[in-house]
């Protein structure tokens, strides 16, 4: 069995764009995204070189997908430290803050959405639930807003056929759950 301690992390990619690859790699499908795993080849303070883990690697290393996931859940937050940046106020009749969720090295920010207790910590810091718009693999926008309000405006502003993820998510701190956002209620 290969020693993978501290050498495995996860990233998220668009599932539809990578569907053909899914047969060859261990992955977890999450709301139109695919969590994939990487093996660190070289790590210095300025660079991180890795390779995508395949099903052949798992067989050669005599490791299961569950073992890779457990290690990646521990290692990823250490390699990609969360960073929350307030980027301004949105005018929706009242001034509501907007944030950029990324990492200190500016990469793999989408992974932060799946760190244990991280969204709960963010909700406590900003004092509210929030919409999550996945911009790209490096970052997400967090839009403070009660769920259901402005869903249509947010979708229109951020979701295109070329979007990294074509869904809007919502984090409700009372549920402590990230899920696909509910549409605006009819008026």
């Amino acid at each position: 069995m290969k020693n993978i301690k501290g050498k495995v992390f996860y990233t998220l990619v668009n599932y539809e764009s990578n569907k053909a690859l899914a047969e060859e790699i261990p992955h977890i499908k999450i709301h139109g995204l695919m969590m994939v795993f990487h093996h660190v080849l070289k790590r210095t303070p300025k660079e991180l070189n890795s390779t995508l883990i395949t099903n052949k690697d798992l067989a050669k290393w005599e490791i299961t997908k569950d073992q890779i996931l457990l290690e990646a859940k521990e290692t990823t937050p250490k390699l990609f430290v969360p960073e929350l940046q307030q980027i301004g106020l949105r005018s929706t009749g009242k001034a509501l803050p907007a944030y950029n969720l990324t990492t200190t090295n500016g990469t793999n920010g989408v992974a932060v959405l799946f760190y244990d207790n991280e969204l709960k910590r963010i909700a406590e810091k900003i004092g509210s639930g929030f919409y999550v718009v996945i911009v790209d693999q490096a970052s997400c926008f967090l839009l403070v807003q009660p769920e259901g309000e402005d869903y249509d405006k947010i979708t229109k502003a951020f979701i295109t056929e070329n979007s990294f993820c074509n869904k809007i998510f919502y984090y409700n701190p009372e549920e402590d759950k990230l899920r696909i956002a509910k549409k605006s209620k009819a008026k």
Side-chain angles (χ1 to χ4, degrees):
M1 182 167 164
K2 184 170 181 78
N3 180 8
I4 58 168
K5 189 82 176 150
K7 296 178 184 172
V8 174
F9 66 92
Y10 65 82
T11 60
L12 286 109
V13 297
N14 180 289
Y15 180 79
E16 287 302 317
S17 300
N18 294 281
K19 198 186 300 188
L21 186 61
E23 294 178 23
E24 300 172 27
I25 62 172
H27 67 278
I28 299 170
K29 188 176 175 189
I30 308 168
H31 300 306
L33 299 171
M34 183 166 58
M35 181 182 285
V36 300
F37 304 94
H38 295 262
H39 180 244
V40 175
L41 300 174
K42 178 182 177 185
R43 181 178 175 214
T44 69
K46 294 189 180 205
E47 72 178 317
L48 176 68
N49 292 327
S50 67
T51 186
L52 188 63
I53 295 173
T54 66
N55 292 329
K56 289 179 182 176
D57 292 327
L58 292 187
K60 183 171 60 177
W61 299 342
E62 299 177 349
I63 295 174
T64 66
K65 180 173 82 171
D66 289 340
Q67 289 171 305
I68 291 286
L69 175 62
L70 285 174
E71 182 56 35
K73 285 182 72 140
E74 186 175 321
T75 304
T76 306
K78 294 174 184 171
L79 295 176
F80 304 97
V81 178
E83 183 172 68
L84 185 66
Q85 307 158 337
Q86 185 167 349
I87 55 176
L89 297 173
R90 296 174 29 251
S91 178
T92 59
K94 55 188 174 215
L96 295 169
Y99 298 87
N100 182 42
L101 178 61
T102 187
T103 61
T104 53
N105 63 6
T107 61
N108 207 19
V110 175
V112 176
L113 295 174
F114 301 96
Y115 290 4
D116 290 338
N117 300 312
E118 188 62 26
L119 295 180
K120 185 177 207 165
R121 186 190 68 74
I122 291 169
E124 288 171 0
K125 180 177 180 172
I126 64 180
S128 175
F130 45 85
Y131 283 104
V132 176
V133 179
I134 299 174
V135 179
D136 55 27
Q137 198 171 30
S139 65
C140 309
F141 290 148
L142 307 183
L143 309 172
V144 174
Q145 185 85 17
E147 186 174 20
E149 290 184 23
D150 291 336
Y151 173 89
D152 295 331
K153 288 180 187 174
I154 293 168
T155 301
K156 188 175 181 180
F158 291 103
I159 302 299
T160 68
E161 68 179 56
N162 296 323
S163 295
F164 182 80
C165 180
N166 64 356
K167 294 177 176 58
I168 303 289
F169 298 91
Y170 193 81
Y171 177 76
N172 182 328
E174 286 83 37
E175 297 173 359
D176 189 24
K177 185 176 180 184
L178 179 69
R179 57 177 164 67
I180 296 174
K182 296 176 185 171
K183 296 184 189 237
S184 301
K185 296 176 182 147
K187 295 180 182 180

